[in-house]
Amino acid sequence: MFASLLLGVALQMAATTPVSVQTDSLIFHARSGATRVSMSRPIEATITVDGLLDEPVWQRARHLTGFSLYQPVDQRPAPDSTDVLVWYSATAIHFGIRAFEPHGAVRATLAERDRVSTDDNVEIHLDTFEERRRAFVFIVNPLGIQADGTKNEAGGFTPGANISPGQNDLSADFQWQSRGHVTETGYEVEIRIPFSSLRFPAGGGQRWGIQIVRKVQHSGYEETWTPARRGQASFIAQEGVLTELTDMKHGVDVTLNPELTSTISGVACCAPNNADWRYSNAPRLGGTVRAGLGSNIVLVGTVRPDFSQVEADATQVAADTRFALLYPERRPFFVEGSDQFNVPNTLIYTRRIVQPDAALKLTARQGRTNFALLSAIDAAASTGPKNRPLVDIVRVTRDFSQQSTMGLVYSERVSQGNENRVLGGDVKMLFGKMYYAQLQFAGSQSRTAGVSRSGALWEGVVDRTGRGWGYHYNLIGIRPDFRADNGFVARTGFVQPNAANRITLFGKQGALIERYMGFVSATGLWRYRDFFDAKSMLEGKVSMNNSFTLRRGWSVSLNPSMNRYRFDPAAYAGVATENGTATPDAFVPAAPITTASGAISVSTPQYRRFAASAGVTNARDVDFLETSRVRRTAYTASLDLRPDERVRLNATYASSEFIRRADGRSTFSQRVPRLKMEYQVARPIFVRVIAQYEANRREALADYRTGLPLLIKQSNGRYTTSVARSSNLLRADWLFSYRPRPGTVLFAGYGNSMTEPGALQFDQLRRVNDGFFLKASWLFTPTK
């Protein structure tokens, strides 16, 4: 019976899997199986990238058509017609896009670079090494506004970018040209990508993987050139291929990027009234050199780089206040080749490098092996100006057996009196098209103030993607003394198994519910030694996430969950309770608590002028700082307005509040409204204003049994009574930006911070600091 079942599955796969058909015609219809595109020799022609596909050379281009629906339902013909033309010269590859739109209006705005996700857009994925797990991504909206980056399915998060495997990471910026315009039948875009902006193997007769993705905002649909299936473990592996690419010249790829930054900071001075105002100027001159050593090696060096943030991080509201939050990397030096530093469990997090005086990065590929090196001398630690950490990171990966990969990582951070080194290996194996297994092991050696410690991290993962049914099972353990000073490991000293099962149901195209996806998951958390001694679990969670994709792009999610917490007494060693004597009693955490929560969220489609989303969470939860039972309520909301093609308004709100169930008192609250307004004066020029208010309040911690204030042990060994704390901070920034191309910029801005005694009152605001910001950077490319 089992053999019969296997035979039936094999026959079904053979019947439903498209066969790559080679054609001598210039037309390649993917749904007919023509996904292998023979390019022959380069075409010598000079054209102007103006968005008009009227030059004679376009008549000789390969014609990619026959798109399929991918999102929300796959394996169906695309309802929108799309034609993509492609040809190449000795120095660049050219694409022409004709996107037809008979069903609704084209959505297009004059946006800032990388801000086209709310417009109709087309993505071009180029897998230049035919790795079938990583690709360059070039995105254009109907006006030719650009977004670009990489897609990586190797596993782990892109360091600091908070990007999961398979998502587009738009942190990198490449040099390429694009222009487009809206037509009576849809839109046309013309694209030129120089080979000097790409990395590819040396030699002729190359094969590049290619995929085209079109996103249609009025319907919420995603459409792909090759008939990609959602049930397969790899999206990139379902690409088509460009063959017989020859005589390509990478050219000299050397850029110099000097930059001058001047920051004038003002603070209130001096005690006791802070009535005076003092300014300090901190000009900084630095620069970066980037050299492409051939077509597959990139070396980047920087001296005194400007790592200021043009746009400050948006404050996140933490559901669990015990752990730090992961923020994305935005700094240009670090986003260059960032996908090469992908490591499961975020063992590399480049925001740990604060402000280096000098840094060097090398990324290369030889055959099926990738090599990446990052070295930096970081800012001085608080222990003294001479205590400057040396940071070294090495990442090596090797492809094997089609889309599988194995990797090694070495990381060290060494300074006076403090050393940390991490060595690890990982492997990800894909098999059966919809399955993968992943294993990781890493060990750390640390030395602080003469005391040495070592620890280990390990994880195993098994995953079935599947179209209608899938699962994800993993087991991770981190010993208490494991440290990764160059990574982001929020918690140590635990073992955590997790099991998640997914079911997906598809409705008819245009039905009210086009897709339902449900995840049922269970996870447990043990202290590291307790797991192997078969002792009680510390935390457990069961949840069911329900996601509905509705007609025309509406989405609704309903997520109930239950948790059980047992509190580790060691985590409260520095907390005590009053007993009327000079020696307080050690705090005894509460008995295990079971909680329940429910969350609902709704998102609208991307309408022509607006899009919105809102969510609410209501939970019988736990305040971990005092182990008391609370009612937690959290709200999120977002509104995007586009009154015309130049103006964008974004308003967001996030809040969280704890109500102590024992006495009905509000013990914690955080409210963060944020408003961003942008005006795109011209394609390279925009003006932006951001205002964000962060209101935080934390009442004094109280004993859950008596209601008396808890005592907190200080660094000198003495106990002090917990006190209430609050802060109300309004931050406002404006920025003028002129960026004709990546690397050449002129930024001018001003920002200030104000506080007030009452939250969101706006009647006693007092300025506490401000600053003027000016940055000029010029990208110089030597004559080729």
Side-chain angles (χ1 to χ4, degrees):
M1 181 175 180
F2 182 66
S4 299
L5 177 62
L6 287 179
L7 179 60
V9 171
L11 290 174
Q12 183 177 1
M13 290 177 62
T16 58
T17 302
V19 178
S20 180
V21 177
Q22 178 62 39
T23 175
D24 294 329
S25 168
L26 296 180
I27 300 177
F28 295 83
H29 193 285
R31 287 194 62 82
S32 299
T35 59
R36 183 174 177 267
V37 183
S38 175
M39 297 297 294
S40 68
R41 299 186 63 81
I43 301 174
E44 295 306 320
T46 301
I47 65 171
T48 300
V49 179
D50 55 8
L52 302 175
L53 307 178
D54 52 3
E55 292 92 349
V57 68
W58 290 107
Q59 302 299 320
R60 303 167 59 189
R62 272 49 179 174
H63 181 173
L64 280 53
T65 188
F67 278 61
S68 299
L69 192 61
Y70 179 72
Q71 170 85 317
V73 182
D74 59 358
Q75 301 185 32
R76 297 175 182 174
D80 307 284
S81 178
T82 309
D83 294 334
V84 177
L85 307 176
V86 56
W87 61 277
Y88 74 108
S89 67
T91 57
I93 187 167
H94 297 256
F95 292 91
I97 298 167
R98 290 193 177 104
F100 299 95
E101 184 50 271
H103 305 107
V106 172
R107 312 283 167 79
T109 59
L110 193 64
E112 182 188 358
R113 188 186 186 95
D114 292 339
R115 295 289 305 279
V116 301
S117 62
T118 58
D119 294 337
D120 288 342
N121 61 78
V122 173
E123 300 181 5
I124 298 172
H125 299 185
L126 293 178
D127 177 8
T128 55
F129 289 94
E130 205 181 3
E131 298 173 271
R132 302 171 69 84
R133 62 178 180 83
R134 186 175 58 178
F136 292 98
V137 178
F138 300 88
I139 309 174
V140 289
N141 79 351
L143 302 180
I145 304 299
Q146 301 176 353
D148 49 9
T150 57
K151 181 187 287 286
N152 194 322
E153 296 177 340
F157 286 90
T158 299
N162 208 10
I163 302 295
S164 298
Q167 292 182 319
N168 289 337
D169 174 13
L170 302 182
S171 54
D173 287 331
F174 306 115
Q175 301 287 337
W176 52 294
Q177 297 83 48
S178 61
R179 287 290 186 274
H181 65 284
V182 177
T183 67
E184 293 182 355
T185 58
Y187 59 93
E188 289 186 352
V189 183
E190 186 175 15
I191 297 169
R192 178 183 183 272
I193 304 173
F195 291 138
S196 59
S197 294
L198 298 171
R199 295 175 58 225
F200 52 87
Q206 296 190 28
R207 293 166 51 96
W208 289 8
I210 183 171
Q211 181 64 281
I212 313 292
V213 181
R214 178 180 174 185
K215 297 184 179 179
V216 184
Q217 297 297 351
H218 74 80
S219 62
Y221 288 170
E222 291 185 25
E223 301 159 359
T224 59
W225 175 53
T226 67
R229 296 170 178 262
R230 297 183 55 82
Q232 294 198 9
S234 171
F235 174 80
I236 296 177
Q238 301 178 72
E239 63 196 9
V241 61
L242 304 178
T243 67
E244 301 179 48
L245 292 163
T246 61
D247 300 326
M248 297 179 296
K249 299 177 182 179
H250 189 266
V252 179
D253 184 19
V254 177
T255 60
L256 308 177
N257 198 188
E259 55 191 19
L260 172 64
T261 305
S262 180
T263 304
I264 302 174
S265 302
V267 294
C269 180
C270 297
N273 298 323
N274 287 331
D276 197 4
W277 205 259
R278 301 287 175 87
Y279 283 95
S280 61
N281 186 12
R284 188 178 184 90
L285 179 64
T288 300
V289 178
R290 181 187 185 277
L293 309 179
S295 62
N296 55 4
I297 302 175
V298 177
L299 179 65
V300 185
T302 186
V303 176
R304 294 178 61 83
D306 165 45
F307 284 163
S308 58
Q309 296 295 310
V310 172
E311 181 176 343
D313 294 315
T315 300
Q316 303 179 43
V317 176
D320 190 338
T321 57
R322 294 174 295 173
F323 307 116
L325 296 169
L326 185 74
Y327 284 92
E329 179 66 89
R330 304 174 188 269
R331 301 171 295 179
F333 173 80
F334 289 113
V335 302
E336 167 78 37
S338 59
D339 62 301
Q340 296 274 55
F341 293 91
N342 256 346
V343 184
N345 288 299
T346 325
L347 295 186
I348 299 175
Y349 180 54
T350 51
R351 285 190 67 149
R352 299 294 188 202
I353 304 173
V354 181
Q355 181 63 72
D357 272 349
L360 179 72
K361 180 156 56 174
L362 174 69
T363 56
R365 181 176 175 88
Q366 180 63 42
R368 305 190 71 182
T369 302
N370 292 292
F371 177 82
L373 166 69
L374 173 62
S375 184
I377 302 176
D378 202 4
S382 58
T383 53
K386 295 183 179 180
N387 192 7
R388 304 184 64 81
L390 173 64
V391 176
D392 292 306
I393 299 171
V394 178
R395 175 66 167 163
V396 181
T397 59
R398 171 77 177 180
D399 302 339
F400 69 96
S401 182
Q402 293 293 321
Q403 301 137 259
S404 299
T405 181
M406 63 179 68
L408 293 173
V409 62
Y410 174 76
S411 168
E412 68 175 12
R413 189 179 185 94
V414 180
S415 60
Q416 185 177 10
N418 188 47
E419 300 177 5
N420 174 250
R421 294 178 175 86
V422 175
L423 177 64
D426 54 270
V427 59
K428 183 177 181 180
M429 298 170 289
L430 275 69
F431 51 93
K433 293 188 177 181
M434 64 179 65
Y435 298 91
Y436 77 82
Q438 182 172 296
L439 299 172
Q440 181 184 21
F441 181 85
S444 73
Q445 183 72 39
S446 304
R447 183 178 179 87
T448 303
V451 179
S452 297
R453 290 185 173 86
S454 61
L457 173 151
W458 48 266
E459 184 183 29
V461 178
V462 177
D463 184 280
R464 181 188 191 274
T465 307
R467 185 173 188 264
W469 172 66
Y471 57 74
H472 182 93
Y473 304 142
N474 76 296
L475 178 65
I476 182 172
I478 306 180
R479 294 183 64 90
D481 289 330
F482 180 81
R483 269 177 51 190
D485 289 0
N486 293 326
F488 187 91
V489 179
R491 189 174 196 169
T492 61
F494 70 89
V495 174
Q496 183 175 29
N498 176 73
N501 292 274
R502 172 187 55 81
I503 183 172
T504 304
L505 303 176
F506 300 95
K508 295 182 178 179
Q509 187 170 316
L512 175 62
I513 300 177
E514 293 193 318
R515 187 185 67 196
Y516 163 77
M517 185 181 296
F519 282 89
V520 178
S521 63
T523 185
L525 188 138
W526 280 259
R527 286 179 297 193
Y528 194 87
R529 182 45 54 191
D530 288 354
F531 179 82
F532 296 100
D533 293 341
K535 294 185 178 180
S536 297
M537 131 180 114
L538 196 65
E539 299 176 12
K541 179 179 181 179
V542 178
S543 64
M544 182 172 183
N545 299 331
N546 304 279
S547 175
F548 300 86
T549 300
L550 308 182
R551 183 169 50 222
R552 296 192 176 276
W554 283 84
S555 64
V556 178
S557 65
L558 303 169
N559 305 316
S561 66
M562 292 188 65
N563 299 265
R564 183 170 176 80
Y565 299 103
R566 185 167 62 90
F567 304 101
D568 185 359
Y572 299 88
V575 184
T577 59
E578 293 180 339
N579 58 11
T581 69
T583 304
D585 294 329
F587 175 68
V588 179
I593 295 176
T594 300
T595 69
S597 69
I600 181 172
S601 64
V602 179
S603 298
T604 73
Q606 291 289 341
Y607 287 112
R608 184 176 179 84
R609 298 300 182 193
F610 78 95
S613 64
V616 59
T617 300
N618 194 286
R620 290 181 174 269
D621 214 331
V622 169
D623 185 341
F624 290 98
L625 298 184
E626 55 185 34
T627 71
S628 61
R629 299 174 184 267
V630 299
R631 293 192 300 272
R632 179 171 67 89
T633 305
Y635 298 97
T636 60
S638 176
L639 175 64
D640 288 298
L641 297 176
R642 299 179 294 279
D644 59 40
E645 68 172 21
R646 296 177 182 269
V647 178
R648 293 188 177 212
L649 304 175
N650 171 254
T652 62
Y653 177 80
S655 71
S656 183
E657 183 179 26
F658 291 173
I659 304 292
R660 190 186 292 133
R661 293 171 61 186
D663 56 14
R665 184 171 183 178
S666 175
T667 59
F668 166 81
S669 71
Q670 183 177 24
R671 291 175 285 173
V672 185
R674 191 172 195 257
L675 178 64
K676 179 193 294 188
M677 297 176 288
E678 295 175 308
Y679 180 67
Q680 201 78 29
V681 181
R683 182 164 176 163
I685 302 173
F686 76 87
V687 178
R688 178 172 64 215
V689 178
I690 299 176
Q692 176 175 288
Y693 196 109
E694 186 175 356
N696 292 286
R697 177 181 54 82
R698 172 87 239 190
E699 297 299 318
L701 301 180
D703 192 317
Y704 64 93
R705 298 163 297 183
T706 64
L708 296 175
L710 292 177
L711 305 178
I712 309 299
K713 190 175 184 178
Q714 305 301 313
S715 57
N716 58 9
R718 299 181 62 182
Y719 284 90
T720 60
T721 303
S722 171
V723 296
R725 306 181 190 279
S726 66
S727 65
N728 303 298
L729 181 67
L730 172 62
R731 177 73 186 178
D733 300 271
W734 68 260
L735 175 74
F736 169 84
S737 170
Y738 172 66
R739 181 163 55 175
R741 59 174 177 158
T744 298
V745 298
L746 175 63
F747 295 140
Y750 170 78
N752 67 13
S753 297
M754 295 174 281
T755 63
E756 60 177 344
L760 297 167
Q761 299 298 309
F762 300 103
D763 58 355
Q764 298 183 51
L765 288 168
R766 178 176 62 87
R767 185 176 49 150
V768 292
N769 61 59
D770 68 355
F772 299 89
F773 173 78
L774 179 66
K775 175 179 177 178
S777 175
W778 178 48
L779 184 70
F780 172 70
T781 303
T783 302
K784 299 184 179 181

